[in-house]
Amino acid sequence: MPPSAARYALTPALGIRKRRDIKMFSRAKTYFRKPHIVISLILLVILLFIVIVPFGKMVKDSFVWQFADARLSRNSHPGELTLFHWKRVFAGPLTQNILIRPLYNSISTSLGVSVFAMVIGAFLAWLVARTDLPFKKIVASVAVLPYVIPSYIHALAWLNLFKNDRIGGVAGVFQYLTGISPPDWLSYGYLPIVATLSLHYFPFTFLLVSAALSSIDSRLEESGEILGASRTYILRRITFPLILPALLSSFILTFSRVLGTFGTPYFLGTPVRYYTLSTQIYSNIINRIPSVGYILAFVLIAISSTVIFVNQRMIGKGKSFVTIGGKGFRIKDMPLGSLRYPFLIAIIALFCAAVVLPFTLILWQTFTLYPDDYSIRHLTLLFWTGHANTAFAEGEAGILRNPAIIGAAWNSIKLALTASLLAGLLGIFIGYAVVKGRNTRLAFSVEQLSFLPYLVPGIAFGALYLALFSHRIGPLPALYGTFFLIVLVCVAKNLPFTGRAGITSMLQIGNELEEAAETLGARWSMRFRKIILPLSLQGAISGFILVFITVMRELSLIILLVTPETRTLTTMTFRYQEQGYTQFSSAISVLIIFIVVCGEAVSKKLEKRSPANR
Amino acid sequence: MAAPIIEVRNLTKVFGTVVAVDNVSFSMEEKDFLVLLGPSGCGKTTVLRMIAGLEIPTAGEIYLKGRLVYSDEKGIFVPAREREVGLVFQSYALWPHMTVSENIAFGLKVKGMKAAAIEEKTAAITAYMQLDGLRNRYPQEMSGGQQQRVALARMLVSQPDIFLMDEPLSNLDAKLRLEMRAEIKNLHIQTGATTVYVTHDQVEGQTMASQVAVINNGILEQLSSPKTIYKRPANLFVADFIGSPAINLIEGATGAIDTEEGTTVSLERDFWKAATLYKNIQSGRDIIAAIRPENIAVVPEEGFNTIPATVKTVLPSGSETVLRVNQGDLTLSVLMTREVELFPGQHINLYLPPEHLLLFDKATGQLLNLPEKTN
Ligand SMILES: Nc1ncnc2c1ncn2[C@@H]1O[C@H](COP(=O)(O)OP(=O)(O)OP(=O)(O)O)[C@@H](O)[C@H]1O
Ligand SMILES: [Mg+2]
């Protein structure tokens, strides 16, 4: 045996192991010197905490007796495991009422809205993108307005117009003008829900289909024309198949959004006991049967994630063929001939129904002295600027003088600002971590986790947070009732958008700009401040405004979480409406619309100014 | 002797299942200009990025100016910002939100230099790189050549002792590329910085380098002076990769032949044989002979080491003419520097000078050792 081998054989195995440990340790140390690894790990912890943990807690709570359950069952032992709630939802005498009917209502309203919104939006998109419709530019920019304002505002306007005096409360404008009391099916339930939400959601399809149409090479259509195909034939056999993927996804995304909508079905459904899953979740939680609410939230999450998953599978396949022609080709307008003006008139009518009429109704309502008296004689500024007067609204002052409302307005603005800033910043970090760590499992997990909130409908997401944060968790105090919790939920819910935006802009920025700074000796903090942040801000601003607007009009997500100290404009609207002070709720809605439309205008302006590819 | 400026030992980088850099070792002295040459995807950029500290190697060691900056064994990794090397990217990587001055001043600000000193140095370097009129422009408002200058200026202003350049000229047009080539060479001479320069343009590599490293599939095939790489390629890959038109490869076996110099090894083909300068190689061994196109001569008559051939095509280009000729089932290229009156189909004689015939082992592709005294 050569001497060195002999020495080796004498070394105890421990020595070898130790050396290997040192090597592993140093590998790990090197690994953690990459800033994006550290950031990914921090993000992972944050995401686990704001996405996964609430989910786990909700699952757990659904299997545990709650204190309030004593009212429902004599066998309840608070804190112990039970299948009681699951049985109650899925296999109890109340299943029909708790699950089946709301589920049916949710699906049927969502389907109805998706169909109408898709048809209206796609047709409008085609008119704007492919025909010689007059005033196309104006049409295109006004078309997004119904989507910008909160969805329940259409519901409030509908109530103003069509509510009848039989279901408790006062009559609407229709009855005031005609003297005819509208039937219940016109005032409440399926029809009004579908009608108002369709008017709210069609711009979504409009945007998606417009984008698809503008990316199709119109020469594909023209060559059909050259071959002598008729217009309808081209539309049916060439254009339609090409935009089919966009149509499908707008259908599915609308479907899942409507599923999670709370405000509209609450205002238009509950008065006639027409429940959807989202309102059923709300009322179960409000009535202190949270576990049942949680289980219904699971149902909602399951449906919504299934449809979104299906959509992504289909888009994955269809994508390649939408972009065949690429961009930048001249699009030839199809002459509408004698139908030009009839179409324009139809569009104007649509805008009246979706924007002008609701807004006028709401605005008018704010000036009416008595909720059911719409005459000019009795108009008043009381609800805007009036001093507190015990004769009206239980002595509440007009909204511009009312400290509670001004407080709520501040809360709203503070909430929207902090949430959009935080979500935007987190989005940039997510983009950084995902792009820098491309192809690693760590980056992949960050990306997937940040996308998860997208699958959870708003009301269910609120329920998740309620489940987790209503008690203290270890050293953390119960966050329920704090402003921070509301910020947290808004940030988490918007992460899928800001994360996506962050990834896109980081991909555009590329690695080398940061690496160049690194070789010049810049620390990570400096690279981030001087290079990454300024470069990604250019892309982040419009995303930031989008989140601001979204949070500003958010109701479904936060309705379960606000307390009197943390209430926002939207939840104030909701409370006033619930209590029948329609003038107040309308006035606050006008305020929200004002803020949101301003935000939209600012973002349009910025979009135009920022160079497309810098 | 002082420690080498750059020393790389057994450097290896694995991406997933791809071995991008495979056990590469080399060292560079002060003022060396090393060109990494190789086909696309062979790992040149990865080597450079590992030296810069932007990529963490899988194994091996790197020393810069005698300091160990990476060791797999010892668990050392010094990040890029502490290595003080200058790096120029193929894309230039200029910051689009900063003006030329701001781009250049960044490295000085990082060092915490005073504003006045920064201003002075920036002004000096912009003047030196002829960027005076452009100081307040943004990168996207400049031509490729100007951007290239800014990228160089940004690196130079920090006065690193080591320059790393990754295909800095590949985005420029041919004329500008020639100009910038001279400029970079000049910079190297003036600063004396040890430079690693990546390119896949072999002419660029040959003209600029003091040393050339040919890399293939992550493996360092050969590292020598440009002249040696050209005249004595270590293996068939290098022989074939370097030179345009490509070297002629002729399969055959060894034999023995009597010449004026005594008995030497010959290249044996079915219908002809040619003498080489090799000695002491067993007869009957399978080999591949190689000869550069410019080393083959067209001669009027048959004689020593000539073979008959038929002209296939004549491709004149400026001062040079490339002939493609057929010899049995072989096709050879011949590069002629003078005017020729040849036409396709013509029968000619080619002279293969023994001193230019290289022999490679057919099985391993390695160059067989020539006797010492030749060249
Ligand atoms: N970050 C990475 N992840 C995975 N594989 C990579 C990565 N970077 C490089 N590679 C792979 O490593 C190999 C070497 O890449 P490298 O960029 O070093 O080649 P190159 O010689 O610079 O090529 P080119 O001349 O095209 O620039 C390639 O096969 C490449 O696909
Ligand atoms: Mg490269």
Side-chain angles (χ1 to χ4, degrees):
Chain A
M1 212 190 286
S4 63
R7 216 181 304 134
Y8 221 79
L10 289 176
T11 333
L14 184 73
I16 296 173
R17 218 184 41 238
K18 206 165 164 194
R19 204 170 329 139
R20 206 172 50 216
D21 283 352
I22 291 173
K23 205 161 158 180
M24 292 236 315
F25 175 73
S26 62
R27 281 247 171 89
K29 214 173 65 187
T30 310
Y31 188 67
F32 286 116
R33 295 203 76 152
K34 297 186 190 173
H36 74 263
I37 301 279
V38 180
I39 291 172
S40 298
L41 290 173
I42 296 173
L43 283 174
L44 215 54
V45 172
I46 295 178
L47 287 170
L48 280 177
F49 186 67
I50 63 180
V51 179
I52 299 294
V53 175
F55 196 81
K57 177 72 161 87
M58 196 162 102
V59 172
K60 190 181 142 229
D61 277 5
S62 72
F63 286 108
V64 172
W65 285 113
Q66 308 291 319
F67 281 103
D69 290 340
R71 290 177 297 139
L72 304 175
S73 165
R74 234 166 289 143
N75 303 330
S76 80
H77 301 284
E80 283 178 29
L81 287 181
T82 175
L83 284 175
F84 173 78
H85 308 111
W86 286 87
K87 282 201 191 123
R88 185 180 167 92
V89 172
F90 285 99
L94 293 175
T95 299
Q96 183 70 18
N97 280 340
I98 295 179
L99 178 71
I100 307 290
R101 219 170 302 139
L103 182 63
Y104 174 80
N105 290 343
S106 277
I107 291 181
S108 61
T109 48
S110 302
L111 273 180
V113 174
S114 307
V115 169
F116 280 113
M118 185 181 74
V119 170
I120 300 172
F123 189 60
L124 194 61
W126 177 74
L127 282 177
V128 168
R130 282 289 189 277
T131 67
D132 63 347
L133 184 82
F135 308 114
K136 281 201 293 197
K137 277 222 175 93
I138 301 176
V139 170
S141 56
V142 181
V144 298
L145 277 184
Y147 190 54
V148 170
I149 61 181
S151 65
Y152 60 81
I153 284 188
H154 287 103
L156 297 188
W158 185 282
L159 283 179
N160 269 340
L161 189 58
F162 288 123
K163 71 188 158 187
N164 60 29
D165 50 3
R166 283 188 306 276
I167 313 287
V170 296
V173 175
F174 181 80
Q175 186 169 355
Y176 175 79
L177 292 177
T178 61
I180 303 167
S181 172
D184 281 357
W185 58 262
L186 181 61
S187 309
Y188 298 101
Y190 183 79
L191 174 89
I193 293 177
V194 171
T196 53
L197 285 179
S198 301
L199 286 179
H200 175 72
Y201 278 110
F202 80 83
F204 186 65
T205 309
F206 172 79
L207 290 175
L208 278 180
V209 174
S210 297
L213 277 173
S214 67
S215 71
I216 296 172
D217 184 351
S218 77
R219 286 180 305 186
L220 289 175
E221 294 164 306
E222 278 167 27
S223 58
E225 203 168 279
I226 292 164
L227 293 173
S230 76
R231 254 179 230 169
T232 50
Y233 185 85
I234 291 171
L235 211 56
R236 202 155 42 87
R237 300 305 298 270
I238 301 177
T239 316
F240 183 71
L242 284 172
I243 60 164
L244 195 59
L247 278 179
L248 278 178
S249 28
S250 67
F251 183 88
I252 282 171
L253 293 179
T254 307
F255 182 87
S256 85
R257 270 157 206 240
V258 177
L259 268 187
T261 301
F262 166 72
T264 302
Y266 187 83
F267 293 135
L268 293 174
T270 24
V272 290
R273 308 199 59 70
Y274 182 92
Y275 286 106
T276 62
L277 277 179
S278 56
T279 55
Q280 189 65 253
I281 291 171
Y282 176 81
S283 58
N284 272 291
I285 288 176
I286 290 299
N287 293 322
R288 307 219 292 139
I289 322 173
S291 305
V292 168
Y294 298 159
I295 294 169
L296 294 175
F298 289 138
V299 176
L300 208 52
I301 293 171
I303 301 173
S304 163
S305 6
T306 312
V307 282
I308 290 173
F309 181 73
V310 167
N311 175 48
Q312 302 222 313
R313 290 299 291 269
M314 287 196 299
I315 297 240
K317 276 188 207 135
K319 211 187 222 159
S320 55
F321 100 82
V322 182
T323 46
I324 300 172
K327 275 191 177 172
F329 288 101
R330 184 179 53 95
I331 310 276
K332 194 181 144 202
D333 289 345
M334 176 187 284
L336 289 173
S338 58
L339 288 177
R340 264 183 102 196
Y341 285 92
F343 273 137
L344 186 65
I345 289 167
I347 289 172
I348 292 173
L350 177 68
F351 287 146
C352 285
V355 181
V356 182
L357 185 62
F359 187 73
T360 318
L361 281 169
I362 295 273
L363 194 64
W364 190 271
Q365 179 86 76
T366 66
F367 297 119
T368 55
L369 186 54
Y370 307 104
D372 58 349
D373 182 350
Y374 300 93
S375 61
I376 295 196
R377 268 180 309 129
H378 286 143
L379 292 189
T380 169
L381 276 175
L382 196 68
F383 294 97
W384 285 97
T385 58
H387 288 280
N389 177 344
T390 43
F392 298 101
E394 293 183 351
E396 297 235 25
I399 69 161
L400 299 181
R401 283 184 198 281
N402 191 323
I405 290 169
I406 292 171
W410 272 123
N411 275 347
S412 276
I413 290 173
K414 241 174 23 193
L415 175 67
L417 275 179
T418 34
S420 48
L421 270 177
L422 280 178
L425 203 62
L426 269 179
I428 291 175
F429 280 114
I430 290 172
Y432 184 80
V434 168
V435 172
K436 275 271 172 176
R438 228 171 335 183
N439 301 329
T440 63
R441 222 168 302 150
L442 186 61
F444 186 73
S445 333
V446 170
E447 186 176 4
Q448 293 297 309
L449 276 186
S450 70
F451 180 70
L452 277 187
Y454 192 66
L455 304 179
V456 184
I459 185 96
F461 209 80
L464 283 179
Y465 270 57
L466 187 67
L468 180 61
F469 295 107
S470 51
H471 310 285
R472 53 182 312 191
I473 325 158
L476 277 176
L479 287 175
Y480 179 73
T482 62
F483 184 67
F484 179 72
L485 179 63
I486 320 258
V487 172
L488 202 63
V489 75
C490 291
V491 169
K493 186 74 178 91
N494 283 294
L495 274 187
F497 307 107
T498 57
R500 232 5 80 106
I503 292 172
T504 314
S505 72
M506 212 56 68
L507 278 174
Q508 258 171 21
I509 295 169
N511 259 341
E512 295 189 341
L513 293 183
E514 188 199 349
E515 289 173 349
E518 196 177 349
T519 59
L520 289 172
R523 310 181 149 272
W524 188 81
S525 57
M526 177 146 183
R527 305 201 294 268
F528 188 77
R529 254 182 318 119
K530 296 279 168 154
I531 314 282
I532 297 163
L533 198 59
L535 286 174
S536 45
L537 273 188
Q538 288 176 349
I541 285 181
S542 58
F544 168 81
I545 292 176
L546 191 73
V547 175
F548 180 89
I549 292 173
T550 312
V551 174
M552 203 66 213
R553 59 182 197 198
E554 192 61 74
L555 178 66
S556 318
L557 185 62
I558 58 178
I559 186 68
L560 290 172
L561 299 173
V562 289
T563 53
E565 288 79 58
T566 56
R567 60 193 162 190
T568 64
L569 285 180
T570 49
T571 59
M572 287 290 267
T573 320
F574 178 76
R575 296 281 170 239
Y576 279 121
Q577 183 72 21
E578 222 182 5
Q579 292 160 14
Y581 299 130
T582 45
Q583 296 98 324
F584 277 124
S585 61
S586 300
I588 301 172
S589 299
V590 170
L591 208 59
I592 296 173
I593 293 174
F594 176 74
I595 297 175
V596 157
V597 169
C598 284
E600 172 69 13
V602 172
S603 97
K604 269 269 142 56
K605 201 156 222 156
L606 286 175
E607 226 162 77
K608 241 174 243 162
R609 233 185 32 190
S610 74
N613 284 316
R614 183 135 162 193
Chain B
M1 204 176 76
I5 301 293
I6 299 177
E7 185 171 7
V8 166
R9 288 188 198 155
N10 307 102
L11 195 61
T12 299
K13 176 72 191 183
V14 181
F15 291 111
T17 56
V18 180
V19 184
V21 175
D22 193 351
N23 205 18
V24 165
S25 304
F26 61 83
S27 78
M28 292 174 68
E29 305 299 329
E30 210 174 326
K31 299 195 168 97
D32 269 355
F33 195 115
L34 174 70
V35 167
L36 301 183
L37 204 56
S40 187
C42 71
K44 307 178 294 284
T45 299
T46 309
V47 170
L48 207 68
R49 288 171 55 84
M50 288 192 287
I51 297 174
L54 296 174
E55 203 84 67
I56 300 180
T58 310
E61 291 188 339
I62 301 172
Y63 292 84
L64 297 180
K65 294 190 272 179
R67 170 186 180 206
L68 182 61
V69 293
Y70 175 77
S71 167
D72 166 49
E73 282 295 318
K74 301 191 181 115
I76 290 173
F77 174 75
V78 177
R81 67 184 170 84
E82 291 164 20
R83 293 197 185 182
E84 297 180 344
V85 299
L87 178 60
V88 177
F89 293 85
Q90 180 176 354
S91 64
Y92 313 141
L94 298 176
W95 300 302
H97 60 304
M98 298 185 192
T99 62
V100 167
S101 300
E102 288 166 344
N103 263 283
I104 295 173
F106 185 86
L108 302 175
K109 280 201 192 120
V110 167
K111 288 190 178 146
M113 204 177 264
K114 292 224 167 62
I118 292 179
E119 174 58 34
E120 192 181 320
K121 285 198 115 183
T122 310
I125 201 87
T126 38
Y128 179 73
M129 293 303 291
Q130 301 156 26
L131 290 165
D132 274 332
L134 308 170
R135 294 187 56 173
N136 295 319
R137 292 246 190 119
Y138 285 92
Q140 54 279 18
E141 300 165 346
M142 294 190 298
S143 72
Q146 290 165 336
Q147 291 185 30
Q148 171 69 79
R149 275 175 214 279
V150 178
L152 284 170
R154 185 174 70 179
M155 176 194 75
L156 286 173
V157 78
S158 305
Q159 296 179 310
D161 297 322
I162 298 172
F163 292 175
L164 305 176
M165 305 193 189
D166 191 358
E167 310 204 23
L169 306 184
S170 62
N171 290 344
L172 302 180
D173 62 37
K175 182 164 170 286
L176 207 52
R177 209 178 306 172
L178 278 180
E179 276 175 38
M180 288 304 294
R181 209 190 269 175
E183 204 157 320
I184 290 178
K185 189 87 210 213
N186 192 21
L187 259 176
H188 173 243
I189 292 166
Q190 292 193 5
T191 57
T194 306
T195 305
V196 184
Y197 185 103
V198 168
T199 178
H200 58 233
D201 177 340
Q202 45 159 309
V203 181
E204 191 171 300
Q206 298 272 8
T207 52
M208 300 181 80
S210 62
Q211 297 275 295
V212 175
V214 179
I215 302 178
N216 181 32
N217 272 331
I219 295 168
L220 179 57
E221 299 279 0
Q222 185 172 11
L223 193 157
S224 324
S225 69
K227 194 172 140 195
T228 310
I229 291 267
Y230 192 76
K231 294 205 158 164
R232 292 282 178 269
N235 54 43
L236 281 172
F237 174 81
V238 179
D240 192 39
F241 183 72
I242 301 289
S244 167
I247 201 163
N248 294 300
L249 299 177
I250 308 165
E251 267 188 58
T254 51
I257 195 169
D258 287 329
T259 66
E260 291 163 8
E261 321 236 332
T263 309
T264 66
V265 174
S266 65
L267 159 67
E268 306 262 338
R269 294 269 305 173
D270 285 348
F271 299 105
W272 55 267
K273 56 168 72 176
T276 69
L277 292 190
Y278 286 81
K279 307 224 164 170
N280 308 327
I281 299 177
Q282 220 176 5
S283 288
R285 186 164 165 186
D286 283 338
I287 45 128
I288 293 176
I291 185 164
R292 297 239 170 248
E294 66 270 30
N295 293 332
I296 300 179
V298 177
V299 289
E301 282 163 28
E302 283 184 40
F304 170 69
N305 257 15
T306 64
I307 55 172
T310 315
V311 177
K312 198 172 138 203
T313 50
V314 181
L315 304 165
S317 73
S319 59
E320 298 176 337
T321 305
V322 177
L323 292 183
R324 303 282 291 161
V325 302
N326 287 333
Q327 205 295 316
D329 53 357
L330 281 178
T331 301
L332 302 176
S333 312
V334 179
L335 181 71
M336 311 191 60
T337 45
R338 54 192 169 74
E339 293 273 318
V340 283
E341 298 286 330
L342 291 172
F343 49 89
Q346 192 175 352
H347 294 284
I348 54 171
N349 292 305
L350 300 176
Y351 171 59
L352 309 178
E355 65 273 23
H356 288 304
L357 272 170
L358 301 171
L359 300 184
F360 296 85
D361 184 80
K362 190 177 169 188
T364 64
Q366 296 300 313
L367 182 67
L368 297 173
N369 279 332
L370 270 171
E372 278 304 317
K373 67 176 174 81
T374 48
N375 291 60

